[in-house]
Amino acid sequence: MDAVTLLTVVVLAVFVGFEVVSKVTSKLHTPLMSGANAIHGIILVGAVIVAGQADDPWLLAVALLAVVLATVNLVGGFVVTDRMLEMFGPRKTARPGGSAGAGTGRTEEEGQ
Amino acid sequence: MSILAPAWTALFYLVAAVCFILALKGLSSPRTARRGNAIGAAGAAVAVVTVFLSARLENIPLILAAIAVGTALAVPVARRVQMTQMPQLVALFNGVGGGAAALVAVLELGHSGDSWVRLAVVFTMLVGAVSFAGSAVTVGKLQELISTRPLLFPGMPAVMVLVLAGALTAGGFVVLTGSAGWAGALLVLGLAAGLLLVLPVGGADVPIVISLLNAFTGLAVAASGIVLGNVLLLVAGTLVGASGTILTKVMASAMGRGVAGIMFGAFRGGSTAGSTTLSDRPVRSSSAEDVAVQLGYAQRVVIVPGYGLAVAQGQHTVAELATALTARGVDVVFAIHPVAGRMPGHMNVLLAEANVPYESLRELEEVNPEFANTDIALVVGANDVVNPAAKSSPGSPIYGMPILEVVQAQQVVFLKRSMRPGFAGIENELLHDPKTTLLFGDAKDSLSKVLGAVKIL
């Protein structure tokens, strides 16, 4: 792809990236960081490509290491983000304000 | 295999990229966050299947085995990790992502004839290596394997300048010649730069650094997209780079800091260390029964939870205490500092885990004006986020950070393990204030005792 097209893609992606997170509440900073972190695990696609083209055992070994690391980033990132968000479920928002912590411990069991 | 025609490949990558945008968008609101994350994971799955169907790949069984190994390593850790250790895990995942990007770039060096592409290789290697080494240091600091205080040695700024100059030189040679030897040197210098960048950062600022390194890894992945001519990597990496940068700025301003000040503050010297000697001035300590009486007969109590609460796994007990007090007619709210815990928004995750309803959580700007008509501020395992030094002593490492102004409350009760200072490593004047009482002990034990005493009032 030519340089101008790539530049166009980058510039648009920068603006989208700025725009989507600009209004996030501070309550969700940790899951958002974790979710964004999972997304860059997509480097797995790159690692798979280089591993698929490696013609030397040493290069292949390094490429497979990259595949393992990228998978940890991608899979672990999405799983852990989901686990955090599980606890922000709608059950709790529905509960009336006065009864702080009623049913403590219940979600933990349900959530596991 | 090359089952998919290039046009279909591009189309599926577009689907994946849109999924990532929707994921970030969804993660911005509590209602849609979980669905957003699931959409992101689906996008990633589409992209990974697409690469297997479109690129001409050898070694497919080995690649699948490596993916299985990575999954087997990541899933149990991600499922079992304590919520208190979340920041370390995010930093760890970020670091390995950066490492993977750097390795991908190294391996592509042999295939890149164009010097523009080699420039992208150099960028990916350098930034990926910085992110990997920097994240390793943040994990060490968060696990307290290494000191949370800024680590500096004489001449460090000069060393940093030398390392960066060396990295630029090595990078220049890689661009011009494509030499593997220079690429190796670049990788080593990148790792050194990552260490030097993060070691001088004080504990309180580590969360900002995690967010910044997250953005770095995003940029490294974007550059790897140029190296491989893969638009999805370019878009996804740029998205994370851009959103991570914004998030870093938002968090830094929640702490009243500039990002540059955090990263290079320690290099400018002087300010961040020091003032950490423990004074032996007297403090007023109290018993669980006395604290229970104070709380039980108050009209309005604000609970300020901090990392100590999380470490002691006391979030469920504090939620019960709030319920017991509410049942007695006491007005109880939780005041959440944006960086309470070890990471922005961390305390919200912990209290959500303990089923504390959103309605009783107050953010900093909301709650600060209310302290003046609060009878008791109950500070549980927090320290830096209520330390008046942030307002009063310009030399302090937390100076300028917005704090919860518990000092305005009629009385302040600290549940603390010891007189040890907080993560920022500085003493808290408030502990010696005449209206402050302290109850020493593990946060969960103290809370259980207070809860027991409240119940029999």
Side-chain angles (χ1 to χ4, degrees):
Chain A
M1 207 177 290
D2 67 289
V4 177
T5 315
L6 289 179
L7 187 65
T8 310
V9 170
V10 170
V11 171
L12 293 178
V14 166
F15 277 96
V16 173
F18 282 169
E19 203 50 41
V20 285
V21 299
S22 57
K23 289 177 210 77
V24 64
T25 152
S26 69
K27 290 183 178 111
L28 283 169
H29 277 169
T30 290
L32 180 65
M33 204 198 292
S34 175
N37 181 33
I39 288 173
H40 65 51
I42 200 62
I43 186 64
L44 176 59
V45 166
V48 167
I49 292 174
V50 292
Q53 293 166 349
D55 37 20
D56 168 294
W58 285 106
L59 295 183
L60 179 61
V62 176
L64 290 176
L65 175 63
V67 171
V68 172
L69 294 180
T71 309
V72 168
N73 183 182
L74 186 73
V75 177
F78 280 118
V79 171
V80 85
T81 309
D82 184 64
R83 230 188 101 202
M84 266 188 263
L85 294 170
E86 197 172 41
M87 299 176 311
F88 284 84
R91 268 167 306 168
K92 275 159 280 171
T93 41
R95 201 168 284 161
S99 62
T104 298
R106 199 158 16 111
T107 329
E108 195 182 35
E109 283 138 36
E110 287 168 10
Q112 295 300 309
Chain B
M1 281 178 279
S2 311
I3 296 173
L4 287 178
W8 283 104
T9 306
L11 209 58
F12 282 122
Y13 281 158
L14 176 65
V15 169
V18 170
C19 286
F20 291 155
I21 294 170
L22 293 176
L24 286 175
K25 184 77 199 153
L27 282 166
S28 310
S29 147
R31 242 174 354 95
T32 54
R34 199 170 176 199
R35 195 174 56 208
N37 186 58
I39 291 172
V46 167
V48 173
V49 171
T50 303
V51 72
F52 275 105
L53 295 182
S54 62
R56 203 182 303 275
L57 300 176
E58 308 288 329
N59 316 314
I60 287 182
L62 282 172
I63 296 172
L64 290 176
I67 291 177
V69 169
T71 308
L73 288 174
V75 171
V77 180
R79 293 224 68 91
R80 281 198 215 117
V81 65
Q82 301 271 347
M83 285 297 147
T84 45
Q85 292 175 325
M86 198 53 76
Q88 288 93 306
L89 194 67
V90 172
L92 183 76
F93 287 160
N94 180 50
V96 295
L103 292 180
V104 166
V106 175
L107 292 169
E108 262 315 277
L109 186 60
H111 301 269
S112 17
D114 191 328
S115 55
W116 284 107
V117 175
R118 284 206 292 265
L119 185 62
V121 168
V122 166
F123 182 86
T124 310
M125 284 174 55
L126 187 60
V127 176
V130 166
S131 182
F132 179 78
S135 298
V137 176
T138 59
V139 172
K141 283 189 186 249
L142 289 163
Q143 281 286 13
E144 309 203 8
L145 299 173
I146 52 179
S147 169
T148 59
R149 306 240 331 254
L151 288 177
L152 283 161
F153 54 84
M156 196 160 185
V159 175
M160 187 69 180
V161 168
L162 279 179
V163 166
L164 286 180
L168 289 181
T169 313
F173 276 106
V174 174
V175 171
L176 293 176
T177 65
S179 135
W182 282 109
L186 177 64
L187 216 48
V188 172
L189 289 165
L191 293 173
L195 294 179
L196 290 171
L197 194 66
V198 182
L199 281 173
V201 174
D205 293 331
V206 163
I208 306 292
V209 175
I210 298 177
S211 179
L212 189 67
L213 292 175
N214 190 31
F216 276 17
T217 307
L219 294 178
V221 170
S224 79
I226 294 178
V227 174
L228 291 164
N230 185 307
V231 179
L232 176 63
L233 293 182
L234 183 62
V235 171
T238 310
L239 274 176
V240 176
S243 60
T245 307
I246 292 289
L247 193 56
T248 308
K249 278 194 67 168
V250 170
M251 287 179 191
S253 66
M255 298 173 75
R257 314 290 300 268
V259 177
I262 289 168
M263 296 312 294
F264 304 111
F267 281 123
R268 282 202 288 269
S271 67
T272 49
S275 80
T276 54
T277 43
L278 289 182
S279 81
D280 45 10
R281 278 179 300 156
V283 293
R284 201 148 56 99
S285 73
S286 173
S287 70
E289 289 70 26
D290 289 344
V291 172
V293 170
Q294 276 181 297
L295 293 172
Y297 293 99
Q299 291 195 333
R300 190 177 153 76
V301 171
V302 176
I303 301 178
V304 180
Y307 186 70
L309 173 79
V311 179
Q313 293 291 311
Q315 59 266 44
H316 297 288
T317 320
V318 82
E320 266 185 79
L321 178 63
T323 314
L325 290 173
T326 308
R328 290 180 57 86
V330 183
D331 180 16
V332 183
V333 296
F334 288 85
I336 312 293
H337 191 275
V339 294
R342 279 288 188 276
M343 195 166 161
H346 192 193
M347 191 51 68
N348 295 92
V349 174
L350 297 171
L351 291 178
E353 187 195 17
N355 250 357
V356 174
Y358 281 137
E359 293 78 2
S360 53
L361 306 186
R362 296 280 186 283
E363 291 183 35
L364 183 120
E365 310 80 54
E366 252 180 298
V367 79
N368 266 346
E370 298 178 13
F371 275 115
N373 40 35
T374 293
D375 300 308
I376 316 249
L378 178 66
V379 183
V380 188
N383 196 348
D384 297 332
V385 298
V386 298
N387 192 339
K391 295 187 88 171
S392 59
S393 56
S396 160
I398 60 170
Y399 183 71
M401 177 171 94
I403 54 162
L404 290 164
E405 292 172 18
V406 295
V407 66
Q408 307 278 341
Q410 304 304 311
Q411 293 195 297
V412 183
V413 177
F414 273 88
L415 304 190
K416 270 181 80 60
R417 217 160 22 159
S418 65
M419 287 299 285
R420 229 187 109 206
F423 204 45
I426 44 168
E427 211 195 341
N428 193 343
E429 277 300 311
L430 191 57
L431 297 175
H432 306 284
D433 194 285
K435 65 175 156 191
T436 301
T437 51
L438 286 94
L439 177 56
F440 287 109
D442 170 83
K444 189 177 182 182
D445 289 349
S446 298
L447 284 166
S448 308
K449 284 183 202 151
V450 173
L451 176 63
V454 165
K455 280 183 176 159
I456 55 169
L457 276 181

